[in-house]
Amino acid sequence: MAKRGKGKLRTALANHTARSQQRAYKKKRELERGSKAKSAPSSSVPKRTVQPFLRDDTILLVGEGNFSFTLALLSAPYHHPPHRILATSYDSEEEVYKKYPDARDIIHQIRQMSGAHASRILAFNVDAGALHKCDAVTGTNKSDQRRWSKVWFGFPHVGAGHKDEHRNVLANQLLILRFLISVAPYLTEGPLPEAIQGRKRRAASEDDEDDEEPIEAADDEPDVSATSVPPRRQGSVLITIRNVVPYTLWNIPMLGKRLRDVLQPIAASAPSPPKGIRAPTVSDVDKNGAQYVLWRSFEFVPSDWPGYSHRRTVGFVEGLNPLSLRSKDNHLGAM
């Protein structure tokens, strides 16, 4: 019998390790759900929703589909200043129009509402795992560096159609890891946001879920009507996924906390990225200073964002796009 090469043995070991982690996490989630169901009171008080964006946030949106979340952010009741938003899509503008029939009208509205900033609020052909290639994200030079206090990746998915659940999980974990490594250098720096400081004082554990109080803008917020200077506080990322299997198997909090440890085994066993996309290495993690901690997780409620309509990565499919399942925002802070 022929001997296996060292490379094949490493890949097989990485696959075995990844599968074991997925099974353990899936079992843990099932036990937690069963425990919560038994202890849940017969009547519960409606949860208050979390508003994750402050008026002075500089907001980068990656992986937009039809740009309806961008439009919701600009519209009532939020009215976020357009010069403090950059919304990006992996696709070209023409591809967006082909995949999402409603996108043309939405983009027209966004540009109308953005006034003098209309030509700079949107960017296309932007890979969330290679943000350094986009001047609109990074700035054009050292005197024009752009930094983001909130980066939102809404319902990421590779859209590759892997039928095997294990391969699908690994492909999407690699997508998330590429994004977390790529975005790290462009987050703002400074003290923790006041809401997170308050939460740390109230709770000993940073892993509590769905117990958040709504975040409200402070009364003494600076006037940001004419400036794009980012706030001086620690930047963070929000990754929104459906709160059901297989999405929960991606285990985003673990990816953020143990990024450096899990990158190599996931990259070794995940399906190869599309042509032209390079899997990151541990040296990229160190170079970009990519370290995260889970600040909180909370329910994403689409109805809180008037006009928002969920769209799948592969494009609009009649009957499959409405977001009826419970979804969750994972709010990760850089360290």
Side-chain angles (χ1 to χ4, degrees), residues 47-95:
K47 290 186 176 75
R48 294 180 295 174
T49 57
V50 176
Q51 209 305 64
F53 303 113
L54 295 176
R55 179 74 174 170
D56 65 339
D57 271 324
T58 47
I59 301 173
L60 172 63
L61 307 176
V62 301
E64 273 283 65
N66 63 353
F67 288 90
S68 60
F69 190 79
T70 306
L71 182 59
L73 197 55
L74 288 167
S75 305
Y78 304 105
H79 296 297
H80 203 82
H83 57 278
R84 302 183 77 79
I85 298 173
L86 175 63
T88 70
S89 170
Y90 181 78
D91 299 312
S92 69
E93 187 166 353
E94 287 305 313
E95 286 172 329

Side-chain angles (χ1 to χ4, degrees), residues 50 52 210 212 238 296-300 327-331:
V50 176
D210 303 321
E212 303 302 325
L238 297 113
R296 60 201 175 146
S297 59
F298 54 90
E299 187 172 359
F300 174 79
S327 304
K328 182 173 70 173
D329 259 314
N330 295 274
H331 193 180

Side-chain angles (χ1 to χ4, degrees), residues 1 44 50 79 81 99 127 155 185 203 213 217 226 232 245 247 252 268 285 326:
M1 191 169 97
S44 58
V50 176
H79 296 297
K99 289 170 70 172
D127 179 359
F155 301 96
E213 295 181 2
R232 187 184 172 276
V245 173
Y247 306 97
I252 288 174
V285 177
R326 187 178 181 216

Side-chain angles (χ1 to χ4, degrees), residues 100-297:
Y100 312 106
D102 55 348
R104 189 180 297 274
D105 180 59
I106 290 172
I107 288 173
H108 177 70
Q109 291 182 65
I110 289 171
R111 286 173 170 157
Q112 275 197 322
M113 296 171 72
S114 300
H117 194 65
S119 63
R120 299 188 298 276
I121 192 170
L122 305 178
F124 299 89
N125 296 306
V126 178
D127 179 359
L131 294 173
H132 64 283
K133 296 181 178 180
C134 178
D135 287 346
V137 172
T138 66
T140 55
N141 52 59
K142 287 186 178 181
S143 63
D144 180 39
Q145 290 183 339
R146 303 196 74 179
R147 295 295 179 265
W148 308 95
S149 58
K150 294 278 172 59
V151 182
W152 188 74
F153 200 165
F155 301 96
H157 200 283
V158 293
H162 300 298
K163 295 185 187 288
D164 179 79
E165 183 178 89
H166 174 63
R167 287 172 60 80
N168 183 50
V169 169
L170 289 169
N172 283 289
Q173 284 182 321
L174 185 58
L175 169 68
I176 299 298
L177 290 172
R178 289 185 65 241
F179 162 64
L180 290 174
I181 295 167
S182 176
V183 76
Y186 308 113
L187 296 174
T188 54
E189 297 180 350
L192 288 174
E194 289 182 12
I196 302 302
Q197 290 181 29
R199 182 176 186 271
K200 285 182 175 292
R201 287 192 294 267
R202 290 191 302 272
S205 172
E206 64 187 18
D207 291 322
D208 295 335
E209 296 188 1
D210 303 321
D211 61 348
E212 303 302 325
E213 295 181 2
I215 296 179
E216 298 175 355
D219 292 335
D220 58 350
E221 278 192 341
D223 178 10
V224 294
S225 58
T227 177
S228 57
V229 176
R232 187 184 172 276
R233 58 174 172 266
Q234 183 60 64
S236 59
V237 301
L238 297 113
I239 303 174
T240 311
I241 60 168
R242 288 183 168 178
N243 199 21
V244 293
V245 173
Y247 306 97
T248 50
L249 295 179
W250 302 358
N251 201 350
I252 288 174
M254 179 275 293
L255 295 179
K257 291 178 185 178
R258 299 182 54 207
L259 192 155
R260 199 176 190 280
D261 298 328
V262 301
L263 174 61
Q264 191 169 348
I266 288 176
S269 50
S272 299
K275 186 177 180 181
I277 292 180
R278 181 183 70 88
T281 64
V282 172
S283 62
D284 294 318
V285 177
D286 296 336
K287 177 184 175 182
N288 289 2
Q291 286 184 288
Y292 296 88
V293 62
L294 178 68
W295 280 353
R296 60 201 175 146
S297 59

